[in-house]
């Protein structure tokens, strides 16, 4: 649910980026985890990470939880941290890096700068680091990011999407875990959104259904999910 600068994101009980990271940590037997983020949905993964870094444009609550605050997302902050630290950290026991995308790894233009790309690829190539995007978007909404990182449709490369609701191996979008919101709860939330006349996005396994979009929200959504489905329905019965 969305209105101007206010978001309400709803996931099934117990679902978060933290739970998804723990699933991957166990699967890959990674000893320790580093995470990067900017927003409230990154707080759970910060709380279970061995080290966590907030970008300079992050909310204060996240900065207060972070191991340290690094540079701004428009100043290639993740690349700068990796350049200064991966010989010390990644060469030892830090093998899993979970990184938020929007306003953290991606700059204001929704792009990954060349320095970030080079630093991530070097950490993976030379030190065996597993770099995992951890995003609130759906896993089909970040194909361009995965292409840029060179891990699109790749085996043994992973994505945390829908704020931890889905964990996929990038090869063929193979789902390792998938957590659904019960239909009855989704319908009640949808009805509330209709009553409040706010923008609504409903994420299914592969699609995004959008309702009551304003122009800003339409532009943002279609920038990363051009095949989003704009709907006029007043219930979610068609998704049942």
């Amino acid at each position: 649910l969305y209105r101007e600068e206010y978001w309400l994101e709803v996931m099934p009980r117990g679902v978060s980026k933290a739970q998804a990271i723990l699933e991957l940590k166990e699967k890959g037997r990674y000893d320790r985890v580093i995470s990067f983020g900017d927003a409230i949905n990154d707080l759970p993964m910060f709380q279970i990470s061995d080290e966590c870094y907030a970008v300079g444009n992050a909310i204060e609550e996240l900065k207060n939880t972070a191991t340290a605050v690094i540079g701004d997302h428009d100043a290639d902050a993740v690349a700068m941290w990796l350049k200064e630290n991966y010989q010390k950290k990644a060469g030892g026991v830090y093998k899993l890096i979970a990184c938020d995308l929007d306003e953290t790894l991606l700059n204001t233009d929704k792009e990954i700068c060349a320095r970030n790309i080079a630093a991530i690829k070097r950490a993976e190539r030379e030190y065996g680091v597993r770099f995992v995007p951890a995003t609130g978007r759906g896993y089909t909404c970040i194909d361009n990011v995965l292409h840029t990182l060179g891990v699109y449709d790749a085996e043994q490369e992973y994505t945390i999407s829908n704020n931890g609701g889905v964990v996929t191996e990038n090869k063929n979008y193979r789902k390792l875990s998938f957590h659904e919101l019960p239909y009855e709860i989704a319908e009640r939330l949808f009805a509330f959104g209709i009553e409040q006349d706010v923008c609504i996005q409903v994420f299914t396994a592969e699609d995004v259904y959008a309702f009551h979009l304003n122009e800003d929200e339409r532009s943002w959504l279609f920038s990363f999910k051009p095949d989003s489905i704009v709907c006029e329905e007043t219930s979610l019965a068609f998704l049942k």
Side-chain angles (χ1 to χ4, degrees), residues 19-219:
Q19 146 265 322
I21 289 171
L22 292 175
E23 290 175 12
L24 279 182
K25 185 177 180 181
E26 181 179 358
K27 175 179 176 59
R29 299 188 178 181
Y30 303 111
D31 293 321
R32 293 167 73 79
V33 177
I34 298 175
S35 59
F36 296 88
D38 75 297
I40 194 67
N41 63 338
D42 298 316
L43 185 60
M45 75 173 177
F46 270 37
Q47 293 170 336
I48 59 92
S49 295
D50 297 287
E51 292 186 22
C52 48
Y53 296 91
V55 288
N57 50 288
I59 61 171
E60 288 303 315
E61 185 175 358
L62 203 69
K63 290 179 178 179
N64 293 337
T65 305
T67 303
V69 178
I70 59 176
D72 190 88
H73 71 304
D74 279 329
D76 308 341
V78 174
M80 296 299 97
W81 188 93
L82 288 172
K83 182 178 179 181
E84 294 173 4
N85 290 278
Y86 58 40
Q87 284 183 306
K88 177 174 59 178
K89 303 291 188 185
V93 294
Y94 288 82
K95 294 296 185 181
L96 179 62
I97 296 179
C99 186
D100 174 61
L101 295 182
D102 294 293
E103 314 301 327
T104 299
L105 183 65
L106 307 186
N107 59 25
T108 300
D109 295 326
K110 302 300 181 185
E111 298 174 344
I112 308 176
C113 72
R115 283 196 292 184
N116 275 337
I117 296 168
I120 291 166
K121 289 186 176 180
R122 183 181 176 189
E124 292 179 324
R125 180 179 66 251
E126 297 185 12
Y127 299 102
V129 169
R130 185 69 65 206
F131 188 92
V132 177
T135 180
R137 302 189 198 181
Y139 60 86
T140 62
C141 299
I142 62 167
D143 286 352
N144 61 329
V145 173
L146 300 182
H147 276 292
T148 300
L149 294 175
V151 295
Y152 176 78
D153 202 32
E155 293 181 345
Q156 297 183 32
E157 297 287 351
Y158 305 101
T159 295
I160 294 169
S161 59
N162 301 92
N163 286 323
V166 187
V167 178
T168 48
E169 182 181 17
N170 295 345
K171 184 67 176 177
N172 298 324
Y173 298 128
R174 186 170 75 90
K175 298 182 188 69
L176 303 180
S177 65
F178 184 85
H179 304 274
E180 296 178 295
L181 192 68
Y183 172 80
E184 292 75 15
I185 295 177
E187 182 62 65
R188 288 167 59 192
L189 288 166
F190 180 82
F192 174 77
I194 293 293
E195 179 183 338
Q196 297 300 315
D197 194 27
V198 297
C199 299
I200 304 169
Q201 294 176 17
V202 178
F203 286 76
T204 62
E206 295 184 356
D207 295 313
V208 180
Y209 296 87
F211 306 79
H212 287 193
L213 287 182
N214 59 36
E215 287 307 310
D216 286 343
E217 181 63 11
R218 181 184 295 270
S219 175

Side-chain angles (χ1 to χ4, degrees), residues 3-17:
R3 175 180 285 166
E4 297 177 349
E5 73 271 27
Y6 297 102
W7 285 85
L8 174 62
E9 297 179 325
V10 182
M11 287 78 67
R13 184 184 298 274
V15 166
S16 69
K17 292 183 182 182

